[in-house]
Amino acid sequence: MIRIKRRALSALLLAALLVGGTCAYAARFALSGGRWASSYVNQAVYSGGKIAVGEITDRNGVVLASPAKNGIAFADDEKLRLACLHVTGDAAGNIGTGALAAFKSRLIGYDIANGVYARGGYGDTVALTVDARLQKAAYDALAGRRGCIIVSNYETGDIACAVSVPTFDPVSPPERAELDARYEGVYINRAISSAYVPGSVFKLVTSAAAIENIGDIYSRVFECGGSVDIGGDTVTCTQPHGSLTFEDALAVSCNVTFARLSLELGADTLARYADKFGFTGTVSIDGIKTAKGGFRKGEEGSPELAWSGVGQYDDTVCPAAMLRLVSAVAAGGSAPQFRLVSRSALSRLFPPAAERLLEADTARQLALMMNYNVSRTYGASNFPGLELYAKSGTAEVGGGRQPHAWFTGYITNDGCPLAFTAVVENGGSGASVAGAAVNAVLQEALRVY
Ligand SMILES: [Zn+2]
């Protein structure tokens, strides 16, 4: 009797193992089937080591890459190839965040029921959310300068353009780019995979913290004599700003005022907001992870803490993370999930939940201030026809080099719910240099988007 019991038990155990194993395999198959199918072991989908099926288009069906006899054919238009390199990817797969690498399993037409070649051997079309015309406008606007421009629709989360420079023509990739200074970081999409010193665009974070934590912030008057001594260091402004309201302090980007606010808020509060806004973490854009930035807490009362709230010290921010914050301001506090792959009509009916970054009231206050920045400082006439909300940054990078120029914000023009972040490395003034680049892209958006 005992023996039978024992046998029954071990048979049961074996059966349980079998069921468990099958379930585990099925789960892994469902999760990783696409990756297995597009593995280099599966030579059917490769030609000469390059993926040879599937087509990549922009949001309007403009073909960016398609299968060809010897691997991949890229767009005929050279400027489009240069502008789209980082979203499309290269044949060798060096650009890991490009669609050719990142969306490989979709390109080969993999689906869980049919396996690969679901559509007769040609793979699937991956329609990206980017607009070829905005890609070219952003490429022109950067004019060969290093940096990036990323634009998104803050209602849908669709990335409308993402251009990174330096770039190269995927038809004739540079040999040994890693040894050539002209191509420094060329395999990186700077908009998604890098983090820069933010400079004054970080004042949006300090402002949000001040709005929510300093009760009388709007009734205060700040005095700026052009510099302030903090713990043996001097925080300076470009000029003495005199008496300022909080709104004025952001509009003229007064370092003295924001240094004082940073000390008052304290390191823990500033760090909490940098975390909450996603600057120190990553977000996934259709599986592509954005770069983490950093925020180091300076000691209470220290010049480091003062500088950290001004966007200097050890602060770094990924352009896509900054884009997400201004998207949230534009959308009343919640940031929609970013997308690089166009969604089907069905899935558009059920968009993924937006994530709340800001209280609705804080978003509204920041919006008013960002609009005031434009009328008071950047000059509405420099952005004709745009209903613009923005913040500039001129981020000191040391080493005798020109600062990085940042410009971030959004517009509310009818049919153009677009947010943007632009960085021109060592470009100088944020408002005039990065602002002009953004203006060129948005003018094109008003025409075509
Ligand atoms: Zn000042």
Side-chain angles (χ1 to χ4, degrees), residues 269-288:
T269 303
L270 283 179
R272 181 157 54 80
Y273 278 83
D275 288 344
K276 182 169 125 178
F277 293 161
F279 285 8
T280 53
T282 71
V283 293
S284 165
I285 309 178
D286 285 311
I288 299 169

Side-chain angles (χ1 to χ4, degrees), residues 224 237 239 241 244 254-256:
C224 167
C237 286
Q239 62 187 84
H241 288 118
L244 299 164
C254 179
N255 288 344
V256 167

Side-chain angles (χ1 to χ4, degrees), residues 162-239:
V163 172
S164 179
V165 171
T167 180
F168 62 80
D169 188 343
V171 168
S172 50
E175 282 173 31
R176 306 163 71 107
E178 49 288 329
L179 301 176
D180 189 334
R182 286 172 303 169
Y183 293 110
E184 191 197 341
V186 74
Y187 297 140
I188 300 272
N189 184 344
R190 285 163 149 76
I192 290 172
S193 307
S194 71
Y196 293 100
V197 180
S200 295
V201 289
F202 194 85
K203 286 176 183 151
L204 293 175
V205 180
T206 312
S207 294
I211 291 167
E212 293 184 356
N213 294 277
I214 301 179
D216 63 343
I217 189 74
Y218 288 106
S219 57
R220 286 198 190 177
V221 177
F222 301 92
E223 296 294 336
C224 167
S227 69
V228 60
D229 289 322
I230 293 170
D233 196 6
T234 309
V235 173
T236 54
C237 286
T238 48
Q239 62 187 84

